[in-house]
Amino acid sequence: FSFVSTNSICQGEQVSYIWNDIFSLKLEIEFAYKPFKWTNSAKGKAGVTCIIIGVRNQSRKDKFIYTNELKVNVKNINGYLTNGDNVVIEKMSDSISQLPKMLLGNQPRDGGYLILSEQERDELINSDERSLKFIKKFYGAKEFLQGNKRWCLWIEEKDVEEAKDIPLINNRINNVLDFRLASKAKTTRGYSNVPYRFAQASPQSGKTAAIIAPKISSERRRYMPIGFLDENCIISDAAFAIYSPSIYLFGIMSSSIHNVWLKAIAGGLETRIRYSVSLCYNNFPIPNINKDQLEKINSKSLKILEVRENHSSIPLGKLYDPESFPDDLKQAHEELDEAVDSLYTDKPYLNDEERLALAFKLNAKMTGGQNA
């Protein structure tokens, strides 16, 4: 049989719900059309992202994957519609590669009163210079990728009375209190006893540097934009954070093998990538690394940050757009890819299918066959 579906059944945790059962019946995917936009004649030309899949009894006959106008003969098609073994990635609570915790960013639940536009920030500082102590840059996915500027009030418990002594800040704290008390959500009302701070906040926020990873990213980009932020920046719940990170981890997450892993494993919004801690980050397999390999990845990662700085006037999302990706940044990423790929194989150059196959194979090995 064959069928048309939205692409969600071959993304994220849906794969484990559906394809384990299908494969257990000694069935296999005979052919698959990778995700494509299917529009219709309805008003406004509503459209969905679809796939087409053919299923048959297990056979030695050819199998094909169709991408745009390309037809590829493959050994096997798994539940992620990639050429590889029937591996299904299950959620993991911790990193199989012993990576530091990736956490969801800070959630305000404040009615907007702890968040500041550029104009509101300036007004606050002009009214009382003491306000500077309590203002930090605020980054979600849009701010990070599109260059939008926003700030937030970040007040530690020990400084609450000092902050309340500033009239405009005190007004905002009172507005947060009123907003939370009026909420229908019991959990939000519970945070009315701390109206000076975000409802959910990491203890490390505002005290240490962090890697920021957007929750949603365009599938068109060759590399997922990952960033370093200093302690004066607060990451919102529209992104993920890794606190006190290493340069090495930035390099791994900025590599091609990490990006192809995301495209295969992550859930999505239409064709966009929806990052997942338990599926993508915690399951990402990294081989053992020696000192020389570590130093090389660190060096190539710093080079990427240096090149980015040369293009600092361009928002990061646009900088990584395939149509405007600068040659020097492309070169820097290719050099990083060479360093990261060498962790997985001695082969000098890999394509994305080879990278994904190596990642799937190593994941199965590191999880003791749990994901096989």
Side-chain angles (χ1 to χ4, degrees), residues 301-312 319 326-333:
S301 299
L302 290 171
K303 179 64 176 179
I304 287 174
L305 292 172
E306 179 185 331
V307 173
R308 279 189 190 178
E309 189 61 30
N310 295 337
H311 299 280
S312 58
L319 192 66
D327 290 338
D328 54 350
L329 186 56
K330 179 182 178 182
Q331 176 66 31
H333 268 285

Side-chain angles (χ1 to χ4, degrees), residues 145-146 221 314-326:
L145 294 173
Q146 299 176 14
R221 299 187 182 108
I314 304 173
L316 207 59
K318 186 176 181 181
L319 192 66
Y320 276 81
D321 187 282
E323 296 179 2
S324 53
F325 197 42

